[in-house]
Every structure is written in C-alpha cells, then in structure tokens.
C-alpha cells in the first residue's frame, strides 16, 4: 500500500510524530511538506527533535492571504498525487494545509484519512473551523479525538461507519517525549523558578488579525505582568502584527523566541498556569496537569473545560485580569484542579495503523 501524508505546520508535525514512523515501517510512505511554516523555529527544529524523516516533497508554498495560500498548495499537492498515485492520503487537524490536502485527494478520488476529525468551535469566522468542516466532509476515515467530536460529526450527517473514535494524538506525543525533557536546564537558562510563572502564547488569527482584539489581550498581559511573571514565546504572526499596529509589550514580560518542542514542554511542565489560544497546548497541558486558561470565546476542546481542567476566559481584558489573578494566587484552588481525574489515551497511532492494515486487506468500514 502506498500512503501520502501531507503536513505543513508546527502542530501537524507534532501531532503526527508518533504515526509517521509507523507508516514508514509498514508501508511505502511518501511525506509531503507544503511549506506553510518555513522558519527554522517553527519547522525544521521539530523534525530534528522528533527524529522524523525528511519530507520527500517540499512544496515551499510560504505565507500568503488565505485564498492564495490554499490555492497554491492545492495546485502543487495535486501534481504530487497525480505522480505518486497513492492508495491513501492522510491529513491532520485544521490548517490551510489540511484543507488543501483534503481537497486535492477528494477531487482525485483517493481515499482520505483525517486525523483529529469532528472538532468544532462553532465559530465560522475562524479559518480553522472552515478547514475542519470541509476536511471532515470529504474524508473517508475520520479519526475522532473524543465523544463530543463523534457527536458533532453525526449531527452533520456523517455516517457512523466512517467515524473511528480512537482519541487524540497530542497526548501520546507528549507522553512519548516526556522523558527527554530537561526541565531544570531550560528553566535555569531563562532564570526561571519552577511554579513561579505563567507560560503564555497567542497566535490565533481571530485574536491577532483584529488590532482591537490584540490590543485588549496585550493590555491584559501588560497589567498582569506587574504582579505575575509571564514567559511569552512570540509567534512570528503575533510579532508582525504587534509591530504593524504599534502595540507595545511591557518590559516585565519575558519575551522569548518560539521554542523547540522539548524546550516548550519543559516550560509547560514547570509553569504554574498556562495562558494560551493554541489548541494543541490546551491538550498538552493536561498531561502535565497544568491548568490552561484560554483567552477565547469558544474552544474545540470543550471536554477539558467541562472536566474543570481548563478555563475559557473570553477576551474582555478586565475578566482576563481578574480570572488569571484568581487562579494564580489561590493555591487551594490549584490543588483542587489537579485532583480532578481526566483520563487520556496514548495508543491512537497504533490504532490508526491497525485500521490502515485492515483497509489494506479490504476496506475501511
Ligand atoms: C497556522 C494555522 C493555525 C495553527 C498555527 C500554528 C491556518 C489557517 N492556521 O497559523 O491553525 O494553530 O499555524 O502555528 O492554517 N510566519 C512566519 N514564519 C513561518 C510561518 C508563518 O513568519 O514559518 C508568519 C508570516 O508572517 C505569516 C503568518 O506567520 O504571514 C501566518 O502564518 P500562517 O501559516 O498563515 O498561519 P499561522 O498563524 O502560523
């Protein structure tokens, strides 16, 4: 069986990192990188740290407005698929790479497997929401991370036989790499003390593209930084938009470069709380039992919020400030959150492998 996997951004590399070696070992596996992410810190360093093979195709698409980026990737992916003629295409998540890969495969009638199917924020202003919906509706095998996602898919009329509720690959990636984290070394190099800082990331288009939203978030961080140490790995998207809109960051915030995977996990494992609009970090925080405070109005990972592990704060600066302070300074509350049980699965890639082997013997259902 010949499989083409298409990826192009940091989260896709991380969330497929356990599955890719299994595909290499068991099938003829062709890896296609769209080049949506191209900075060393957002791309190559993850291949190195996670010991992944170099892509067979690098499409070097780069950064463009939504339509142009998606269109260029679609055109180039189609060329690769026509040449390689795979039996199966695999995509992950909700990025423009996911959308282009899904459309290219579906239009060429190549069976498509989508990892992380069924997540919904119900906010169609997010490019990711559109990408997820389209990818799910043209996929043949939908790997759902949780029951909520299964329900979303069923409600949208996707046949049950196409849905595989195997779980979430983020967790297994963290568990697999936990032992390689050098927490002390990373914290020392940044002059940090375990448990005495908040790890913050902001990069979502919905939070950064609108200058008013970005200003609100940053003004909350600036005010909070008077009392709380924030460590802020700055995504290139956010950096560019802060500069363009002349929004200053307080000098009390510890701004650092986007981190390699293992260093980021080290920072996550050592923080008191994290504050992030990233989807992946909401999941990764659970493995370290660190509460994740989410500066958004909705999340795809509502299960973790409903369990009481993560908190959806909205984007109003006053609310953000009071909610962060309330949890950061209340040790009893933090202990309570840590005691809440919230299981997660760690064998998702193995299950996907078994499913593909079954398909090899005769069909997805
Ligand atoms: C993309 C995904 C988002 C994911 C995020 C992880 C979409 C719609 N969004 O957002 O779901 O959470 O990746 O990081 O696919 N840039 C660089 N260097 C790079 C990549 C980007 O400087 O290597 C800058 C460019 O200025 C670019 C901007 O970031 O214009 C946005 O990049 P893009 O890939 O369009 O989206 P992300 O914000 O990274």
């Amino acid at each position: 069986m010949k499989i083409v996997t298409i990826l192009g951004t940091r989260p896709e590399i991380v969330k497929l990192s356990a599955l890719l070696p299994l595909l290499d070992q068991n099938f003829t596996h062709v890896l296609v990188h769209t080049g949506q992410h191209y900075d060393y810190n957002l791309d190559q360093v993850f291949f190195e740290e996670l010991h992944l093979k170099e892509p067979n195709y690098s499409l070097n698409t780069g950064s463009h407005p939504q339509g142009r980026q998606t269109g260029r990737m679609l055109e180039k992916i189609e060329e690769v698929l026509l040449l390689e003629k795979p039996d199966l295409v695999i995509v992950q998540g909700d990025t423009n790479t996911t959308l282009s890969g899904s459309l290219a495969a579906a239009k060429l009638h190549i069976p498509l497997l989508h990892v992380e199917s069924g997540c919904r924020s119900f906010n169609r202003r997010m490019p990711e929401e559109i990408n997820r919906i389209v990818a799910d509706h043209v996929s043949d095998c939908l790997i759902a991370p949780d029951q909520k996602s299964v329900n979303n898919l069923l409600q949208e009329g996707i046949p049950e036989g196409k849905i595989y509720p195997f779980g979430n690959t983020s967790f297994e990636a963290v568990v697999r790499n936990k032992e390689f984290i050098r927490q002390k070394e990373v914290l020392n190099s940044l002059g940090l003390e375990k448990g005495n800082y908040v790890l913050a990331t902001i990069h979502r288009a919905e939070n950064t593209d609108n200058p008013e939203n970005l200003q609100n978030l940053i003004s909350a961080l600036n005010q909070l930084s008077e009392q709380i140490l924030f460590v802020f790995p700055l995504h290139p998207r956010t950096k560019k938009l802060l500069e363009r809109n002349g929004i200053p960051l307080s000098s009390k915030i510890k701004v650092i470069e986007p981190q390699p995977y293992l260093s980021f996990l080290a920072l996550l494992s050592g923080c008191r709380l994290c504050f992030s609009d990233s989807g992946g970090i909401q999941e990764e925080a659970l493995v370290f039992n660190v509460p994740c405070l989410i500066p958004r109005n909705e999340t795809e990972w509502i299960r973790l919020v409903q369990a009481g592990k993560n908190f959806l704060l909205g984007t109003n600066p006053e609310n953000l400030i009071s909610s962060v302070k309330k949890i950061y300074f209340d040790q009893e509350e933090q202990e309570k959150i840590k005691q809440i049980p919230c299981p997660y699965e760690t064998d998702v890639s193995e299950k996907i492998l078994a499913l593909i082997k079954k398909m090899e013997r005769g069909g997805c259902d």
Side-chain angles (χ1 to χ4, degrees), residues 298-340:
E298 67 286 304
T299 171
E300 304 72 24
W301 304 111
I302 196 73
R303 175 175 83 94
L304 307 183
V305 174
Q306 284 167 347
K309 298 301 256 184
N310 291 346
F311 298 83
L312 202 51
L313 303 188
T315 51
N316 173 289
E318 280 77 39
N319 288 349
L320 287 174
I321 293 168
S322 62
S323 309
V324 173
K325 278 190 190 167
K326 197 162 152 255
I327 304 182
Y328 189 84
F329 292 114
D330 188 343
Q331 233 177 338
E332 223 172 274
E333 177 64 15
Q334 287 158 33
E335 273 315 306
K336 256 199 241 158
I337 298 168
K338 282 187 199 295
Q339 298 308 322
I340 300 171

XYZ file of all heavy atoms in Angstrom, residues 298-340:
358
model
N -14.603 30.454 22.615
C -15.029 29.069 22.429
C -13.779 28.222 22.246
O -12.712 28.737 21.950
C -15.968 28.923 21.232
C -15.349 29.181 19.879
C -15.081 30.641 19.569
O -15.987 31.472 19.616
O -13.908 30.944 19.288
N -13.945 26.917 22.472
C -12.811 26.023 22.252
C -13.288 24.720 21.638
O -14.421 24.291 21.893
C -12.033 25.727 23.547
O -11.078 24.689 23.274
C -12.927 25.256 24.676
N -12.407 24.109 20.846
C -12.714 22.806 20.265
C -12.550 21.723 21.327
O -13.066 20.635 21.188
C -11.740 22.486 19.120
C -11.694 23.524 18.019
C -11.006 24.821 18.427
O -10.184 24.796 19.363
O -11.304 25.861 17.825
N -11.816 22.038 22.379
C -11.511 21.029 23.403
C -12.358 21.283 24.638
O -11.863 21.400 25.752
C -10.018 21.025 23.734
C -9.202 20.808 22.502
C -8.398 21.718 21.882
C -9.149 19.625 21.699
N -7.855 21.178 20.754
C -8.292 19.890 20.608
C -9.743 18.362 21.782
C -8.026 18.939 19.620
C -9.472 17.425 20.793
C -8.620 17.726 19.744
N -13.688 21.320 24.412
C -14.626 21.668 25.478
C -14.635 20.598 26.581
O -14.894 20.887 27.745
C -16.035 21.930 24.883
C -16.942 22.664 25.861
C -16.699 20.659 24.374
C -16.595 24.092 26.047
N -14.291 19.354 26.200
C -14.258 18.265 27.194
C -13.353 18.625 28.381
O -13.675 18.366 29.530
C -13.726 16.992 26.509
C -13.514 15.816 27.449
C -13.114 14.570 26.671
N -11.699 14.503 26.363
C -10.793 13.875 27.106
N -11.149 13.286 28.226
N -9.527 13.841 26.749
N -12.222 19.267 28.076
C -11.266 19.586 29.149
C -11.770 20.746 30.005
O -11.458 20.831 31.190
C -9.883 19.902 28.552
C -9.320 18.847 27.597
C -7.924 19.212 27.121
C -9.299 17.480 28.262
N -12.563 21.623 29.388
C -13.175 22.727 30.149
C -14.290 22.171 31.024
O -14.378 22.485 32.222
C -13.711 23.820 29.191
C -14.478 24.887 29.949
C -12.569 24.444 28.389
N -15.109 21.309 30.428
C -16.219 20.733 31.205
C -15.703 19.875 32.354
O -16.317 19.799 33.406
C -17.128 19.900 30.286
C -18.009 20.803 29.439
C -18.689 20.071 28.293
O -18.343 18.940 27.949
N -19.661 20.721 27.671
N -14.544 19.267 32.161
C -13.963 18.446 33.238
C -13.438 19.322 34.384
O -13.169 18.837 35.468
C -12.829 17.593 32.682
N -13.267 20.623 34.135
C -12.756 21.518 35.170
C -11.238 21.647 35.154
O -10.642 22.201 36.073
N -10.583 21.132 34.072
C -9.120 21.219 33.997
C -8.671 22.522 33.332
O -7.643 23.084 33.673
C -8.555 20.047 33.188
C -8.831 18.683 33.762
C -8.292 18.503 35.150
C -7.055 17.686 35.260
N -6.636 17.478 36.659
N -9.405 22.959 32.314
C -9.070 24.184 31.582
C -10.203 25.198 31.730
O -11.324 24.833 32.084
C -8.830 23.874 30.101
C -7.561 23.058 29.890
O -6.731 22.952 30.792
N -7.412 22.473 28.721
N -9.896 26.474 31.416
C -10.867 27.543 31.676
C -10.975 28.462 30.465
O -9.970 28.991 29.979
C -10.428 28.351 32.910
C -10.388 27.505 34.146
C -9.283 26.712 34.419
C -11.470 27.448 35.003
C -9.243 25.885 35.534
C -11.457 26.629 36.118
C -10.330 25.851 36.386
N -12.217 28.638 30.016
C -12.480 29.503 28.870
C -12.759 30.906 29.409
O -13.783 31.129 30.061
C -13.713 28.933 28.157
C -13.960 29.251 26.710
C -12.736 28.984 25.839
C -15.140 28.405 26.205
N -11.851 31.857 29.158
C -11.953 33.156 29.826
C -12.615 34.252 28.999
O -12.874 35.323 29.521
C -10.553 33.657 30.220
C -9.711 32.750 31.110
C -8.456 33.485 31.544
C -10.482 32.269 32.322
N -12.841 34.015 27.691
C -13.320 35.129 26.858
C -12.164 36.069 26.552
O -10.992 35.737 26.811
N -12.476 37.251 26.019
C -11.379 38.147 25.620
C -11.504 39.540 26.234
O -10.743 40.435 25.902
C -11.327 38.292 24.077
O -12.630 38.621 23.606
C -10.887 37.000 23.412
N -12.459 39.721 27.129
C -12.594 41.016 27.791
C -11.414 41.219 28.759
O -11.180 40.373 29.623
C -13.933 41.025 28.541
C -14.087 42.257 29.402
O -13.410 42.385 30.414
N -14.955 43.145 28.990
N -10.653 42.334 28.612
C -9.423 42.458 29.414
C -9.659 42.424 30.927
O -8.890 41.786 31.651
C -8.833 43.809 28.987
C -9.734 44.389 27.971
C -10.829 43.432 27.657
N -10.749 43.074 31.401
C -10.998 43.067 32.862
C -11.229 41.640 33.368
O -10.695 41.244 34.400
C -12.218 43.932 33.235
C -11.925 45.421 33.305
C -11.846 46.038 31.912
O -12.663 45.640 31.050
O -10.953 46.879 31.674
N -12.044 40.889 32.612
C -12.301 39.488 33.009
C -11.028 38.666 32.982
O -10.788 37.843 33.865
C -13.296 38.812 32.052
C -14.682 39.339 32.262
O -14.946 40.045 33.231
N -15.572 39.016 31.333
N -10.220 38.895 31.934
C -8.975 38.133 31.826
C -8.107 38.379 33.052
O -7.600 37.444 33.678
C -8.200 38.541 30.566
C -8.755 38.066 29.224
C -7.963 38.674 28.067
C -8.691 36.549 29.138
N -7.977 39.662 33.401
C -7.102 40.024 34.523
C -7.609 39.384 35.813
O -6.860 38.728 36.546
C -7.001 41.565 34.658
C -6.259 42.128 33.443
C -6.313 41.972 35.957
C -6.334 43.627 33.297
N -8.915 39.527 36.097
C -9.400 39.002 37.373
C -9.355 37.470 37.394
O -8.990 36.883 38.413
C -10.805 39.533 37.685
O -11.695 39.108 36.692
N -9.664 36.804 36.271
C -9.651 35.334 36.285
C -8.239 34.786 36.464
O -8.025 33.827 37.212
C -10.203 34.760 34.984
O -11.426 35.329 34.673
N -7.279 35.386 35.771
C -5.901 34.887 35.902
C -5.418 35.067 37.337
O -4.869 34.140 37.947
C -4.949 35.599 34.906
C -3.503 35.190 35.163
C -5.331 35.284 33.458
N -5.670 36.255 37.896
C -5.214 36.512 39.273
C -5.857 35.540 40.242
O -5.207 35.017 41.147
C -5.586 37.942 39.688
C -4.621 38.987 39.190
C -4.966 40.291 39.860
C -4.212 41.443 39.249
N -4.742 42.735 39.674
N -7.166 35.314 40.062
C -7.922 34.461 40.979
C -7.291 33.061 41.047
O -7.080 32.530 42.139
C -9.369 34.367 40.480
C -10.338 33.880 41.494
C -11.767 34.229 41.081
C -12.696 33.199 41.671
N -13.195 32.246 40.701
N -6.965 32.502 39.912
C -6.412 31.132 39.940
C -4.927 31.151 40.323
O -4.471 30.325 41.101
C -6.616 30.415 38.582
C -8.107 30.415 38.238
C -6.078 28.991 38.630
C -8.466 29.700 36.966
N -4.191 32.141 39.819
C -2.739 32.147 40.060
C -2.403 32.252 41.549
O -1.478 31.611 42.050
C -2.076 33.306 39.301
C -0.571 33.231 39.340
C 0.128 32.444 38.435
C 0.161 33.930 40.307
C 1.508 32.352 38.479
C 1.544 33.852 40.361
C 2.212 33.059 39.439
O 3.579 32.967 39.483
N -3.197 33.079 42.257
C -2.852 33.318 43.667
C -3.570 32.377 44.640
O -3.407 32.519 45.844
C -3.125 34.783 44.029
C -2.171 35.725 43.331
C -2.629 36.627 42.375
C -0.814 35.701 43.625
C -1.749 37.485 41.716
C 0.075 36.551 42.969
C -0.394 37.444 42.018
N -4.385 31.458 44.148
C -5.148 30.574 45.032
C -4.618 29.141 44.936
O -5.013 28.360 44.080
C -6.634 30.633 44.632
C -7.516 29.894 45.619
O -6.985 29.089 46.415
O -8.740 30.120 45.580
N -3.722 28.821 45.888
C -3.064 27.506 45.831
C -4.040 26.359 46.059
O -3.927 25.300 45.450
C -1.975 27.444 46.881
C -0.659 27.037 46.280
C 0.439 27.041 47.312
O 0.341 27.707 48.349
N 1.478 26.293 47.048
N -5.012 26.626 46.944
C -6.005 25.589 47.246
C -6.791 25.227 45.986
O -7.026 24.058 45.687
C -6.979 26.126 48.299
C -7.314 25.134 49.379
C -8.109 25.825 50.457
O -7.488 26.426 51.367
O -9.346 25.806 50.349
N -7.184 26.272 45.257
C -7.938 26.068 44.014
C -7.086 25.268 43.009
O -7.577 24.351 42.343
C -8.315 27.450 43.440
C -9.040 27.440 42.107
C -10.421 26.777 42.155
O -10.940 26.567 43.259
O -10.934 26.460 41.062
N -5.791 25.599 42.930
C -4.914 24.875 42.001
C -4.842 23.396 42.374
O -4.863 22.522 41.504
C -3.512 25.473 42.023
C -3.428 26.815 41.343
C -2.218 27.602 41.820
O -1.179 27.052 42.137
N -2.375 28.909 41.880
N -4.762 23.123 43.688
C -4.718 21.723 44.136
C -5.991 20.988 43.747
O -5.961 19.855 43.278
C -4.521 21.652 45.661
C -3.071 21.691 46.084
C -2.181 20.765 45.238
O -2.486 19.562 45.139
O -1.203 21.271 44.649
N -7.131 21.696 43.945
C -8.432 21.093 43.600
C -8.465 20.710 42.120
O -8.907 19.631 41.751
C -9.558 22.105 43.886
C -10.347 21.789 45.150
C -11.674 22.512 45.119
C -11.764 23.471 46.295
N -12.711 24.550 46.095
N -7.973 21.624 41.285
C -7.990 21.365 39.836
C -7.123 20.146 39.517
O -7.490 19.277 38.746
C -7.489 22.604 39.050
C -8.401 23.803 39.297
C -7.386 22.301 37.557
C -7.841 25.140 38.805
N -5.967 20.088 40.165
C -5.039 18.973 39.902
C -5.645 17.619 40.285
O -5.336 16.601 39.681
C -3.731 19.190 40.665
C -2.810 20.199 39.994
C -1.471 20.247 40.692
C -0.688 21.505 40.382
N -0.265 21.659 39.007
N -6.494 17.622 41.322
C -7.086 16.350 41.799
C -8.182 15.820 40.872
O -8.533 14.643 40.955
C -7.697 16.527 43.205
C -6.722 16.912 44.312
C -5.511 15.996 44.384
O -5.648 14.791 44.186
N -4.332 16.570 44.609
N -8.717 16.663 40.004
C -9.820 16.207 39.138
C -9.284 15.157 38.159
O -8.318 15.424 37.447
C -10.415 17.390 38.335
C -10.960 18.458 39.278
C -11.494 16.912 37.360
C -11.361 19.753 38.569
